[in-house]
Amino acid sequence: MMIFKASFMSLLNVSARRPDLHKVNVSNVTEAPVTEDESKGARIRWLINGDDGAPNFLMRHFTIESGGFTPYHQHDWEHEVYVLEGHGKVRYEDREEKIEPGDAILIPPSKKHQFRAGSEQLKFLCIVPK
Amino acid sequence: MMIFKASFMSLLNVSARRPDLHKVNVSNVTEAPVTEDESKGARIRWLINGDDGAPNFLMRHFTIESGGFTPYHQHDWEHEVYVLEGHGKVRYEDREEKIEPGDAILIPPSKKHQFRAGSEQLKFLCIVPK
């Protein structure tokens, strides 16, 4: 009976839930370590995720400690990145480019990439398809 | 003949064009005024657009002068916004909320919304589906 009640309440919540304004400050979002192999000193905050009602794409915030990096990897979806603070490099296929605040970067699908912090903490947004 | 040559070169360019790393700094992107009615002191920069190879969503940067605002309007696509600088308000349906740097905001499709600068310039990113 308890199980039935819980399921019924869950159903009610789902049916009552409609996409509404979602507003959150980055400082109030819990950070989680990036746990993939070959990453170092990288943390992620999900600012807008699927549970917030986002229909098409999701917004994440990364903090990379000085000397740290995200995995050098590839996947079949794109990244759109905006650098907020710090300097570093984006490694992309067979080359590297410096990145700085105000840089907007598109990593197309299936391209190998990595974000590396320089001598200071690097912060950037990274938007991905849902 | 010149026309044929131009068309042929254009065809070559298109076929040779594959999505590649796109990187641009906001300071190097031309600003355009937001020309919709019922906007004031609002300018837009397209940081990542369809021509850059973005497959699913596009990144824009807005600057709203003190006292300025975007149109109070609605449309059938969502906004995902990140406030970079300044304070202001988001008007959403029948209410208003203060916004500040670090705020991530989802405006779901079909909801009336407006961004208003306060006593200082407001800058934010706004990502939309392609």
Side-chain angles (χ1 to χ4, degrees):
Chain A
M1 182 57 191
M2 282 300 289
I3 290 170
F4 171 76
K5 189 176 174 186
S7 299
F8 185 63
M9 290 307 290
S10 169
L11 192 68
L12 271 183
N13 281 338
V14 168
S15 65
R17 188 172 183 171
R18 294 183 189 173
D20 194 17
L21 181 70
H22 166 76
K23 184 169 83 73
V24 68
N25 194 275
V26 63
S27 61
N28 296 324
V29 177
T30 305
E31 272 189 324
V34 173
T35 54
E36 283 180 85
D37 284 349
E38 301 183 42
S39 71
K40 179 184 166 191
R43 300 191 300 276
I44 184 172
R45 289 174 164 113
W46 286 83
L47 301 186
I48 302 178
N49 62 45
D51 291 338
D52 300 321
N56 294 302
F57 45 89
L58 310 174
M59 185 184 289
R60 299 101 49 86
H61 177 284
F62 285 83
T63 300
I64 317 289
E65 293 303 330
S66 166
F69 43 82
T70 60
Y72 182 51
H73 66 179
Q74 67 193 115
H75 38 65
D76 61 4
W77 59 91
E78 75 274 28
H79 284 328
E80 294 192 15
V81 164
Y82 185 87
V83 180
L84 299 167
E85 289 179 35
H87 291 68
K89 287 182 179 173
V90 56
R91 187 177 169 194
Y92 176 84
E93 298 281 320
D94 56 356
R95 66 188 202 261
E96 277 189 350
E97 295 203 20
K98 289 182 183 177
I99 55 175
E100 62 180 1
D103 277 349
I105 303 158
L106 168 68
I107 307 286
S110 306
K111 298 292 188 181
K112 288 198 83 171
H113 60 278
Q114 180 183 50
F115 291 89
R116 305 183 68 93
S119 58
E120 54 190 347
Q121 201 179 55
L122 179 69
K123 293 185 179 185
F124 58 87
L125 300 178
C126 178
I127 297 101
V128 290
K130 189 175 169 183
Chain B
M1 182 59 191
M2 283 301 288
I3 290 169
F4 171 78
K5 189 177 175 185
S7 299
F8 186 63
M9 290 307 290
S10 168
L11 192 67
L12 273 183
N13 282 337
V14 167
S15 64
R17 187 173 184 171
R18 293 183 189 174
D20 193 16
L21 180 72
H22 167 75
K23 185 169 83 75
V24 67
N25 194 274
V26 62
S27 60
N28 296 324
V29 178
T30 305
E31 274 190 323
V34 174
T35 55
E36 284 180 85
D37 284 349
E38 300 183 41
S39 71
K40 179 183 168 191
R43 301 192 300 278
I44 184 172
R45 289 174 164 114
W46 287 84
L47 301 185
I48 302 178
N49 63 45
D51 291 339
D52 300 320
N56 294 301
F57 46 88
L58 310 173
M59 185 185 287
R60 299 102 50 87
H61 177 283
F62 284 84
T63 301
I64 317 289
E65 293 302 331
S66 167
F69 43 82
T70 60
Y72 181 52
H73 68 178
Q74 66 194 117
H75 39 65
D76 61 4
W77 60 89
E78 75 275 27
H79 283 330
E80 293 192 15
V81 164
Y82 185 87
V83 180
L84 298 167
E85 290 179 33
H87 291 69
K89 286 182 180 174
V90 55
R91 186 177 169 194
Y92 177 84
E93 298 282 318
D94 56 356
R95 67 186 202 262
E96 277 189 350
E97 294 202 20
K98 290 182 182 176
I99 55 175
E100 63 180 0
D103 278 349
I105 302 158
L106 168 68
I107 307 286
S110 306
K111 298 292 187 180
K112 289 199 82 172
H113 59 278
Q114 181 183 48
F115 290 90
R116 304 183 69 92
S119 58
E120 55 191 345
Q121 202 179 53
L122 178 68
K123 294 186 178 185
F124 58 87
L125 301 178
C126 179
I127 297 102
V128 291
K130 189 174 170 184

